[in-house]
């Protein structure tokens, strides 16, 4: 499959700023943090503003972590901003401000798991690693395993399969990682797959089996309206816009239900996203 998928990628890959040579390893790392559970069209403007303000890890490391949360805007899952800030501090302190090249060094950075370490090593440095995001897992599930969806959580069997499918040549493996991810994002999508456009349709086990329906656990869609996540987002939006600490009374206005509002605010404090102060004031974290 390597040749067909990479040839397709050479023709159809989107021109994204983190794929350009001038993005550098830091640009790749920033994009990987931002793209987790967030679509490209929402990431693009925030990514460009972020890199314009903090073109190197040391630039971000000098700022208070609350500034990273503020600049994160409405991308969602704002703990990613704190983790990216923590990674920038560690890169500055441990690696002289340069994103490390070794997978083990990347994995040792705060806030970086197996996927992000493999993605940065592969996309920034052209190394040979299995990069398993949701899109890649879906492509492998259909093309190789013959099922519509992968398991809800990544399994050891999926990791073994991904390693088995890796091309031997390092540069080809890195290209394969990006190409298989793009195929899942643009063609082999979750709900509206376009098999007529797929470069490996003739080899796809799922298509060959007649596209059987999913037989595993129900696919749970994410809800937002009325959840603690929505309340947290509203509270953070007030704090991001504020130039001074915000009184409790102002935060009380964002949500009518006091128990849920209090729970959401407590959660933000526990996660380090909000800093309580004396006198019932709150601000984004400074330390």
């Amino acid at each position: 499959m390597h040749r067909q998928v990479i040839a397709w990628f050479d023709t159809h890959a989107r021109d994204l700023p983190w794929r350009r040579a001038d993005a550098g390893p830091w640009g790749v790392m920033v994009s990987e943090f931002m793209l987790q559970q967030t679509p490209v069209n929402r990431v693009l403007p925030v990514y460009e503003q972020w890199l314009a303000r903090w073109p190197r890890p040391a630039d971000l490391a000098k700022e208070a972590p609350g500034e990273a949360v503020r600049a994160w805007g409405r991308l969602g899952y704002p703990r990613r901003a704190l983790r990216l800030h923590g990674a920038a501090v560690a890169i500055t302190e441990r690696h002289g401000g340069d994103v490390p090249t070794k997978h083990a060094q990347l994995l040792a950075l705060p806030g970086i798991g197996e996927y992000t370490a493999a993605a940065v090593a592969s996309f920034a440095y052209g190394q040979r690693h299995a990069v398993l995001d949701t899109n890649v897992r879906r492509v492998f599930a259909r093309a190789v395993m013959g099922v519509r969806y992968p398991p809800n959580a990544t399994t050891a069997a999926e990791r073994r399969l991904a390693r088995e499918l890796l091309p031997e040549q390092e540069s080809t493996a890195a290209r394969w990682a990006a190409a298989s991810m793009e195929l899942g994002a643009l063609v082999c999508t979750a709900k509206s797959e376009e098999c007529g456009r797929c470069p490996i349709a003739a080899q796809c086990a799922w298509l060959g089996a007649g596209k059987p329906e999913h037989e595993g656990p129900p696919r749970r869609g994410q809800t937002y309206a009325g959840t603690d996540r929505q309340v947290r987002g509203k509270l953070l939006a007030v704090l991001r816009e504020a130039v001074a600490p915000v009184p409790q009374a102002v935060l009380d206005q964002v949500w009518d239900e006091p128990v849920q509002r209090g729970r959401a605010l407590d959660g933000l404090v526990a996660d380090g996203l909000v800093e309580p102060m004396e006198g019932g004031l709150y601000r984004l974290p400074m330390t």
Side-chain angles (χ1 to χ4, degrees):
M1 296 185 288
H2 301 146
R3 179 177 55 80
Q4 296 100 309
V5 173
I6 292 173
W8 172 87
F9 184 66
D10 290 342
T11 302
H12 298 283
R14 291 168 291 182
D15 179 19
L16 300 173
W18 45 85
R19 288 178 177 163
R20 299 169 192 161
D22 60 358
W26 174 238
V28 171
M29 178 176 285
V30 170
S31 76
E32 288 300 331
F33 272 81
M34 290 185 173
L35 287 165
Q36 294 166 19
Q37 298 179 288
T38 308
V40 166
N41 63 331
R42 288 181 56 202
V43 166
L44 281 169
V46 181
Y47 172 88
E48 291 172 352
Q49 293 163 12
W50 190 286
L51 268 296
R53 181 174 179 181
W54 299 310
R56 289 182 53 79
D59 301 316
L60 176 58
K62 288 186 288 190
E63 298 266 18
E67 286 305 302
V69 177
R70 194 188 310 277
W72 199 256
R74 295 184 176 275
L75 283 182
Y77 302 98
R79 277 179 289 182
R80 293 179 293 168
L82 290 182
R83 292 170 183 152
L84 185 51
H85 181 274
V89 171
I91 290 168
T92 303
E93 293 176 349
R94 303 176 195 170
H95 303 286
D98 294 322
V99 175
T101 60
K102 295 181 179 178
H103 181 269
Q105 294 173 323
L106 290 164
L107 198 55
L109 294 174
I112 291 190
E114 175 59 38
Y115 165 77
T116 304
V120 173
S122 179
F123 301 150
Y125 295 118
Q127 296 174 13
R128 184 179 182 271
H129 294 282
V131 183
L132 268 178
D133 82 334
T134 301
N135 291 313
V136 176
R137 293 176 62 224
R138 187 169 55 252
V139 169
F140 291 175
R142 291 174 179 173
V144 181
M145 300 167 65
V147 296
R148 181 165 193 168
Y149 298 121
N152 287 330
T154 306
T155 65
E158 286 181 285
R159 293 189 178 95
R160 283 196 301 272
L161 175 62
R163 290 192 295 269
E164 290 168 3
L165 290 174
L166 269 179
E168 288 299 324
Q169 186 179 24
E170 196 166 52
S171 60
T172 306
R175 195 71 173 162
W176 161 252
S180 54
M181 188 177 294
E182 190 79 333
L183 184 65
L186 298 184
V187 175
C188 194
T189 58
K191 295 181 179 179
S192 303
E193 65 278 355
E194 298 185 58
C195 300
R197 294 177 53 211
C198 181
I200 54 171
Q203 299 158 268
C204 178
W206 182 58
L207 180 58
K211 298 170 71 170
E213 288 300 319
H214 177 62
E215 295 182 352
R219 310 293 292 182
R220 295 186 298 273
Q222 291 185 333
T223 58
Y224 184 73
T227 64
D228 284 6
R229 275 188 60 218
Q230 184 183 24
V231 184
R232 285 164 60 103
K234 287 180 174 291
L235 292 168
L236 272 183
V238 173
L239 292 164
R240 281 198 308 269
E241 296 297 324
V243 295
V246 176
Q248 174 81 56
V250 173
L251 295 177
D252 287 346
Q253 296 173 20
V254 308
W255 198 256
D256 291 336
E257 209 289 299
V259 174
Q260 187 178 25
R261 185 181 66 237
R263 183 172 64 240
L265 182 57
D266 289 346
L268 289 170
V269 172
D271 289 341
L273 289 161
V274 172
E275 196 171 276
M277 303 174 66
E278 292 183 0
L281 300 174
Y282 294 85
R283 68 182 181 187
L284 296 177
M286 295 299 294
T287 57

